Amino acid sequence: MYSLLADLSIVEVSSFVASPTAGLYCAQMGAEVIRVDQIGGGLDYDRYMRTAQGRSLAWENLNRAKKSVALDLKSPEGRELCVELACATGQLITNLPEKSFLSHAAVSVGRPDMVSVRIMGWHDGRQAMDFTVHAASGYPLMTGPAEWDQDTAPPVNQVLPAWDFITGAYCAFALMAALHHRAATGEGSEVRVPLGNVAMGTVANSGAMAEMLYRGADRPRLGNAIWGALGRDFVSRDGKGFMVAVLTPNQWNALVEAFGVAEPIAALEAETGVRFANSDHNRFVHREALFDIVQSAAARQDYAALAERMAAAGATFEHYRTMHEASTDPVLVDENPLFGPSPANPSGLSYPAPRSFANLPGRDAGDPEAAPYLGQHSEEVLAERLGLSSGAIGDLVDRGIVARSDEHDFTPREARAR
Amino acid sequence: MYSLLADLSIVEVSSFVASPTAGLYCAQMGAEVIRVDQIGGGLDYDRYMRTAQGRSLAWENLNRAKKSVALDLKSPEGRELCVELACATGQLITNLPEKSFLSHAAVSVGRPDMVSVRIMGWHDGRQAMDFTVHAASGYPLMTGPAEWDQDTAPPVNQVLPAWDFITGAYCAFALMAALHHRAATGEGSEVRVPLGNVAMGTVANSGAMAEMLYRGADRPRLGNAIWGALGRDFVSRDGKGFMVAVLTPNQWNALVEAFGVAEPIAALEAETGVRFANSDHNRFVHREALFDIVQSAAARQDYAALAERMAAAGATFEHYRTMHEASTDPVLVDENPLFGPSPANPSGLSYPAPRSFANLPGRDAGDPEAAPYLGQHSEEVLAERLGLSSGAIGDLVDRGIVARSDEHDFTPREARAR
């Protein structure tokens, strides 16, 4: 953990992926992130993958390095504590609806400098999740094999919840932008980020919306090929699949050299009357012929030899891994300073723990911290932030408004529900 | 455009998607973002989709609301101007390699408070792009129809360059975090964000890496089904595909009500001995039986009626659109305050222009601004930032070190290369 945000405290009232991710990025930069949950766990406390004991490995990784406060958020008293905590802290990240008890108006009473960041569904208040905004965006009907018939091809959903992760990072940015503004002016901010607008805004920012309107029609299906440039998956003699991307003159020269295809390329240039070295456009238009040339060359060698040649030539490539292979890849994990030693995770399992995506040369990256047990910091936070005495907290615990750590008091949801 | 970052200036030396996106998000929040490019355009100046004239709609949207300075970055003098500009400004976003002329050391000479954010390929210096880190991550081999044989299924690439967009948003956050630290301590920061680490870190943050290691094997292929919960695409009687997501008790109750399937669900609960209302786990384990029940009900009604029932019941759903349909959808675009009137785009085309993903109630969102012509602000920026006289700038222009706006001086790359 770096300490860029060491003086910053944030209350996070979250579930699922986008909202916890925003808090996670701040925590990995040194902020104190206090996640407040329903006693027994919120909607995401049991998200797959779960261990045999029922501990969620998703929750344990999305809430790394945070503190946990457990309150009965169904009770007026628990809600009031949550509102007071957010207000006293001055910074809030949440995905609760604006119409919930945790509105910006509620948390900014007497506190005009309050900064809240709220993740919503659609701009008009309709519900949305990553899966549904993706369906609306158009991407699933552009994904999948090129040979599928355009008119009957089924949608192909993404396994990576990309909209959640873009939204999480964007919300961390928006929070910091609002804090920057507060530092300059003293003003608070209410920031709302609809997940649906992250998707539609990205379609627009990427140029794809302008493309659709300019063409007046959808883009043809491209399968695994890169749009508007040269790149695709190829297969080596020993059956290993790999991706090669060519978007610069250097990448083109590397491709020609690595695959030893200068001759057939020259023949194709003579035949077509175009030059490939300096034009994405020409490489894209003639991609099928170029793909054939590269695939023919790829099929004559094993991957290890090809990879050596591509690396030496300076090509941009990567072989396809399964996720288990990626997770056990020495270069990607063991030798990667992104990962540190396993802290004591709530699951009791040990595995490589990620630091922040960013690294800062000359600064101590520290070791990754574990996610909390649910309620582990209830007493500490209520005492420090709201000035509650241990007697008052004990009373709240006795009355079921506050809960302490579930380290020794955990039951999976199915057992709790019975 | 909001004005949260109105007092902030950033020099961006960028190409492709991740790095320009980081600058774009800052510009949409009111920062002055000065993009510096090679005269005639950098590596991404011709990225598809291009208009008949050859103007890139990708570039025009990824560089909205920025200023443009065009320099000969192949010449020592142009490079020196770029370094001076970054140093004088104090904030830099770039994807040039650390070993280029634009190292952190170079731009922080005499300026210990310099903040630079550098997007890299892999952590170990190997090249990477969205397409290649995705191949490494494991997602492409988890994507695609469930019925494909696990051992022979081809990779399915993503059309959305998700890693680029997550990286862009994260870099905007990391920049603001470093500025927050500088405001508190006076210290500058060198921030490096490897695209590959955004991918591997996300695999870890999502819990998927822990999942792979805990299971000791890959996740089975799920096609369009949601992992660990209930959700999939269904098809209505009139052939319309739609996605439904059920991850909460409310979403479950809405599904049962909207599709009128209380009876078969009760029968399935009796048969299996489990309750579905409060358990993602139970709904996931019995998903095939549940999918059959929902699909049977879906097939009996047209989508319009189903959508009305789902909306009334409070289900989370969305029908699949092609991207052209999404881009012309009145609710998603015309009636969405995300989009404003078209500014005067370099392409000469008019189309809805996005604001920031975030909206801030009570603050003026302003109208979206256009991307610059290449070099449009060369003179203004060199005069203001480096104090160059108009005579000195004229001399630099005459010698080809600096270029002015390409509004009337644009030729597509293929024509330039000849």
Side-chain angles (χ1 to χ4, degrees), chain A residues 127 157 218 279 316 324 414, chain B residues 127 218 279 316 320 324 414:
Chain A
Q127 294 175 42
N157 288 357
D218 283 297
S279 167
T316 304
H324 185 263
E414 291 70 34
Chain B
Q127 292 176 44
D218 284 297
S279 167
T316 305
Y320 287 93
H324 185 263
E414 291 70 34

Side-chain angles (χ1 to χ4, degrees), chain A residues 4 7 24-25 43 47-52 57 61-62 122-123 126-127 129 131-132 135-143 145 148 155-157 159-160 162-163 165-166 169-170 172-173 176 180-181 187-192 194 197 200-202 204-214 216-218 224 226-229 243 247 251 278-279 281 284 314 316 318-324 326-328 331-332 336 338-339 349 351 354 356-361 363 413-414 417, chain B residues 4 7 24-25 47-52 57 61-62 122-123 126-127 129 131-132 135-143 145 148 155-157 159-160 162-163 165-166 169-170 172-173 176 180-181 187-192 194 197 200-202 204-205 207-214 216-218 224 226-229 243 247-248 251 278-279 281 284 314 316 318-324 326-328 331-332 336 338-339 349 351 354 356-361 363 413-414 417:
Chain A
L4 293 185
D7 59 346
L24 175 67
Y25 296 150
L43 294 167
R47 284 291 292 142
Y48 267 29
M49 175 67 150
R50 307 193 304 184
T51 64
L57 296 177
N61 280 281
L62 286 164
W122 286 103
H123 58 285
R126 283 178 300 130
Q127 294 175 42
M129 299 188 87
F131 322 99
T132 60
S137 72
Y139 285 107
L141 290 173
M142 301 167 82
T143 305
W148 281 357
V156 176
N157 288 357
V159 177
L160 170 73
W163 303 119
F165 283 112
I166 300 170
Y170 187 86
F173 159 69
M176 296 308 301
H180 181 91
H181 180 72
E187 282 178 19
S189 289
E190 177 182 3
V191 182
R192 300 182 186 178
N197 277 1
M200 292 306 296
T202 299
N205 288 340
S206 69
M209 183 176 290
E211 171 196 337
M212 299 299 149
L213 298 172
Y214 181 64
D218 283 297
N224 282 345
I226 298 173
W227 164 242
M243 180 75 201
L247 288 89
Q251 288 172 330
N278 199 31
S279 167
H281 172 75
F284 180 66
T316 304
E318 199 66 53
H319 71 271
Y320 287 92
R321 293 163 180 81
T322 71
M323 194 170 279
H324 185 263
S327 300
T328 53
V331 174
L332 300 185
N336 188 344
L338 171 66
F339 293 98
L349 301 175
Y351 51 84
S356 75
F357 299 154
N359 66 74
L360 287 79
R363 286 238 176 75
R413 189 178 299 274
E414 291 70 34
Chain B
L4 294 184
D7 58 346
L24 174 66
Y25 297 151
R47 284 292 292 143
Y48 266 29
M49 176 68 149
R50 308 194 302 183
T51 64
L57 296 176
N61 280 281
L62 286 164
W122 285 104
H123 57 284
R126 282 178 302 130
Q127 292 176 44
M129 299 188 87
F131 323 98
T132 60
S137 72
Y139 285 107
L141 290 172
M142 302 167 81
T143 305
W148 280 358
V156 176
N157 288 358
V159 178
L160 171 73
W163 303 118
F165 283 111
I166 300 171
Y170 187 86
F173 158 69
M176 296 308 302
H180 180 90
H181 180 72
E187 280 178 21
S189 289
E190 177 181 3
V191 182
R192 300 182 187 179
N197 277 2
M200 292 307 296
T202 299
N205 288 339
M209 185 176 289
E211 170 197 337
M212 299 299 148
L213 298 172
Y214 182 63
D218 284 297
N224 282 344
I226 298 173
W227 164 242
M243 180 75 201
L247 289 89
T248 71
Q251 288 173 329
N278 200 31
S279 167
H281 172 75
F284 180 65
T316 305
E318 200 66 53
H319 71 270
Y320 287 93
R321 293 164 180 81
T322 71
M323 193 169 280
H324 185 263
S327 300
T328 53
V331 174
L332 300 186
N336 188 344
L338 170 66
F339 293 98
L349 301 176
Y351 50 84
S356 76
F357 298 154
N359 65 74
L360 288 80
R363 285 239 176 76
R413 189 178 299 271
E414 291 70 34

